[in-house]
Amino acid sequence: MTNCFKCGGTEIVKGKITRSSEEYFSDIVFGPEGIRFLTVTLQHGTKLEPESYACLSCGSVWSQTDPKALKDFIRKHCKNPNHAKSKG
């Protein structure tokens, strides 16, 4: 059973995050805070998985992205790459 990360609710609905307009054909991405000004990247973040979830109690919506790709993106394109350091 999946619980909401924000409120702990158990009424979770599965779906996907999409663009409301079909005029853009690029992927939906997560863009972390602190992207350096004038950074050169085509994606502007890491691709979200097609499967997403929403909590019927509080309205939070979440998805996932590849953690390694996100760490690499932060190291290469963000002002504070220390957030992406692996522990271990």
Side-chain angles (χ1 to χ4, degrees):
M1 174 181 278
T2 301
N3 290 48
C4 176
F5 69 94
K6 185 174 180 183
C7 75
T10 57
E11 290 186 282
I12 307 299
V13 68
K14 184 176 170 181
K16 61 183 178 176
I17 297 172
T18 62
R19 294 189 186 278
S20 61
S21 172
E22 294 298 325
E23 65 184 80
Y24 301 108
F25 295 103
S26 62
D27 294 320
I28 303 294
V29 300
F30 173 77
E33 287 187 345
I35 295 176
R36 289 189 299 268
F37 183 68
L38 294 178
T39 192
V40 178
T41 175
L42 296 176
Q43 289 288 5
H44 303 289
T46 56
K47 184 177 168 182
L48 292 180
E49 296 294 326
E51 186 174 272
S52 300
Y53 301 90
C55 177
L56 296 176
S57 298
C58 72
S60 292
V61 176
W62 66 95
S63 187
Q64 291 180 283
T65 190
D66 180 299
K68 183 183 179 320
L70 180 58
K71 288 175 186 176
D72 290 346
F73 184 89
I74 290 171
R75 278 191 208 104
K76 291 176 185 174
H77 303 291
C78 291
K79 294 176 187 174
N80 190 357
N82 294 330
H83 293 292
K85 286 188 177 176
S86 298
K87 294 180 181 179

